[in-house]
Amino acid sequence: MAGKTVSKLRELSQRAGRWLGLAETAAAPKHTGAIVADRFDTMAWRETYDQAGALRILAEDLNQSYDHTTDLLADTFLGAYKASPQVREATEMDPSRAVNHQVISTMMGSPQFAELRRETAGDSYAAAMAVLSQGEGLRSMLERAQDAHEKAQAQAEAQRQAAEAAQAVADALETAGAVADDDGTVPDEQAEAVQRAIAAAQAAEQAAAAAAAGTEQALAAALPSVRAAARQAITQATENAREEAALMRAWGVGPGQLERMDFDTRAQLAQRLHTGRLAQFAQLIGRFRQMATGERARRVENAPGELVGITLGDDLGRVIPSELSQLGVPALRPVFASKYAEARLMLYDSRGEQVTGQGAIIACIDCSGSMAGHREAWAKACALALLDQARQAKRDFVGILFSSAEQVRTFRFPAATYDIAAVIEFAEHFFNGGTDFQAPLGHAAELLEAEFNAEGRARGDIVLITDGHCDVHEDWMREWNEAKAALDFRTFGISIGDHGRATTPGSVLDALCDNLRSIDDLTDTDAAADLFRVI
């Protein structure tokens, strides 16, 4: 070795001091997660990851092409889940996770991520679904940062070698100290070994610094494309999260119910509501619920007393909307004038006092073949809004699906409970047969009679939604009217897509119903608005 060999232990220690400190620093483990997390956060991630097979599949898929992607998924989850997520400093991270750190920093710094967190914070399921929604976006970000990732791996290896070189200095100095004599003189062989270790450590440190600079440059080059991919992925995840949240609200599934479901149950429910026949109901259901909520508020704000039904008269201040709509059609104005002159306009009837002990709300839904499609969707959405109405009023709700005389199925929803599985089954079931009114209406009257006998509750409401025509026997009609008088229930009829033919005076529906209206525009939920003010 060129130059004079240093033989004093003190001088060797001074030269090696820098590497001794580096050896201690290098021995401290670096973080592999970019998001600061406590053990409860880690537990939430592990539990969710164990439950969600889709997360594990995504991790395995990404791991085939990229390194450390499970750590990236954990960071993405925690960023969406934690109340106040914090990103670590890059210097605290293991160099091999430099790309992960860039991806998470970019995502967390995006305004779109703040929007996403409004839907996911504190909800492990929603956070996991956000990760899955961003799966392709994460893949795109990793692909665009591939060069940076390779350089980061090289940097990690260079730093590992630098750490080993620093430790070699510490080991060589320790050996030199063990053989030094009383005045601190170290034999030449051991002294030269210390100096060789110092030279190797210097070279390793320079190589690590160069590798770090290469990683930094590659990350900077990848940043614009990573940012663009992150923005797109987060936007898509936010839309998906909002759509699912709105879907659950539309079906009346509250946050408390969702929290009690495990991941797979909730995912299966969401998938079921997203697909098939149920998917076409969701938008209508949401609009019906919104409309019904508004009508309940109007009932409190504008009415002089409790609206309890429909009556006939000539008080223009209480005319129901379906009657007023006739004024907008020139051909129907004479009809309106005639009804007004004869005091036969349909008016809201009200009472000044709240009447307690109301009976159940029963929705009889025609499931004959002609109802398939938009008509069924409208009818089921209206029925589910009536279910909400019953829950708000703490009344029992019964859904009766009917078609031919032998095709009747009853779904009972007590006031105190809400079984989403039963609600979905009610919405999904469809007979596709003929049309018979007697069986479902007779069963509805029997249910109200049983409720009156058991609980003493009268004044129930039956809502019949149909697009069909059906004759009823004279004897049955007499029994029907006797039951109405005895139990004081009201019957509301909605004729769908019949262009008013079923609602003409003297028709079967007109004879059965106290209040009857025709619905031709199946995109219009407001056509049934007054129903929710009087039930």
Side-chain angles (χ1 to χ4, degrees), residues 288-310:
F288 260 107
R289 289 183 187 276
Q290 184 177 14
M291 176 271 294
T293 300
E295 293 305 314
R296 284 194 292 270
R298 288 183 59 187
R299 175 170 57 185
V300 173
E301 293 171 359
N302 298 333
E306 181 201 13
L307 293 173
V308 296
I310 300 295

Side-chain angles (χ1 to χ4, degrees), residues 206-225:
Q206 291 172 356
T215 300
E216 186 175 349
Q217 290 175 359
L219 289 171
L223 182 58
S225 58

Side-chain angles (χ1 to χ4, degrees), residues 115-372:
E115 294 293 321
L116 174 62
R117 283 182 35 74
R118 290 191 177 94
E119 305 294 335
T120 61
D123 187 336
S124 59
Y125 169 86
M129 294 305 295
V131 175
L132 293 172
S133 295
Q134 295 174 91
E136 287 306 310
L138 292 172
R139 185 192 306 278
S140 176
M141 285 181 265
L142 292 171
E143 180 179 353
R144 298 177 188 199
Q146 183 64 22
D147 181 58
H149 176 72
E150 292 173 358
K151 285 183 168 55
Q153 304 314 301
Q155 178 190 351
E157 176 61 23
Q159 289 191 355
R160 184 189 65 79
Q161 293 178 3
E164 290 179 353
Q167 185 60 49
V169 173
D171 293 342
L173 186 63
E174 183 179 1
T175 301
V179 297
D181 59 20
D182 292 341
D183 66 353
T185 301
V186 178
D188 289 347
E189 182 180 352
Q190 284 72 30
E192 289 175 359
V194 172
Q195 294 188 76
R196 285 196 301 270
I198 291 173
Q202 288 175 330
E205 182 183 36
Q206 291 172 356
T215 300
E216 186 175 349
Q217 290 175 359
L219 289 171
L223 182 58
S225 58
V226 168
R227 184 181 290 121
R231 188 183 304 115
Q232 183 176 358
I234 295 168
T235 299
Q236 182 61 53
T238 303
E239 290 176 358
N240 292 347
R242 286 174 175 167
E243 180 183 347
E244 184 161 319
L247 186 66
M248 293 301 176
R249 286 194 299 270
W251 284 91
V253 186
Q257 289 175 287
L258 293 175
E259 289 175 3
R260 290 191 293 272
M261 296 181 189
D262 60 34
F263 185 93
D264 285 342
T265 301
R266 188 166 166 183
Q268 290 167 8
L269 172 62
Q271 179 66 17
R272 191 174 179 185
L273 296 180
H274 266 298
T275 58
R277 294 171 58 249
L278 295 180
Q280 64 179 311
F281 298 167
Q283 186 177 12
L284 268 175
I285 291 170
R287 289 164 55 194
F288 260 107
R289 289 183 187 276
Q290 184 177 14
M291 176 271 294
T293 300
E295 293 305 314
R296 284 194 292 270
R298 288 183 59 187
R299 175 170 57 185
V300 173
E301 293 171 359
N302 298 333
E306 181 201 13
L307 293 173
V308 296
I310 300 295
T311 188
L312 300 179
D314 58 1
D315 184 350
L316 296 178
R318 294 189 290 132
V319 177
I320 69 173
S322 58
E323 290 278 47
L324 286 174
S325 66
Q326 297 179 23
L327 294 175
V329 182
L332 295 179
R333 288 173 186 168
V335 177
F336 182 91
S338 175
K339 289 183 178 180
Y340 176 66
E342 298 172 6
R344 291 182 53 249
L345 291 172
M346 286 193 289
L347 313 176
Y348 289 124
D349 193 12
S350 65
R351 297 179 186 174
E353 296 181 355
Q354 176 74 24
V355 179
T356 59
Q358 283 186 278
I361 297 175
I362 302 179
C364 297
I365 309 299
D366 186 350
C367 291
S368 61
S370 59
M371 283 286 290

Side-chain angles (χ1 to χ4, degrees), residues 48-90:
T48 305
Y49 186 78
D50 290 342
Q51 290 179 16
L55 279 178
R56 298 193 297 276
I57 292 172
L58 176 60
E60 292 170 4
D61 186 32
L62 292 176
N63 278 332
Q64 292 180 1
S65 303
Y66 309 100
D67 297 322
H68 317 303
T69 53
T70 303
D71 291 336
L72 177 59
L73 297 186
D75 282 330
T76 307
F77 170 86
L78 293 174
Y81 172 74
K82 283 175 61 65
S84 301
Q86 295 181 338
V87 182
R88 297 185 193 280
E89 294 295 332

Side-chain angles (χ1 to χ4, degrees), residues 30-38 41-42 45 68-80 82 84-109 113 138 142 219:
K30 293 284 189 177
H31 293 287
T32 57
I35 298 292
V36 178
D38 59 27
D41 299 327
T42 303
W45 161 248
H68 317 303
T69 53
T70 303
D71 291 336
L72 177 59
L73 297 186
D75 282 330
T76 307
F77 170 86
L78 293 174
K82 283 175 61 65
S84 301
Q86 295 181 338
V87 182
R88 297 185 193 280
E89 294 295 332
T91 54
E92 300 176 17
M93 295 288 296
D94 188 305
S96 64
R97 271 67 168 186
V99 169
N100 287 7
H101 185 273
Q102 182 185 61
V103 168
I104 294 301
S105 298
T106 302
M107 294 170 65
M108 294 289 292
F113 202 80
L138 292 172
L142 292 171
L219 289 171

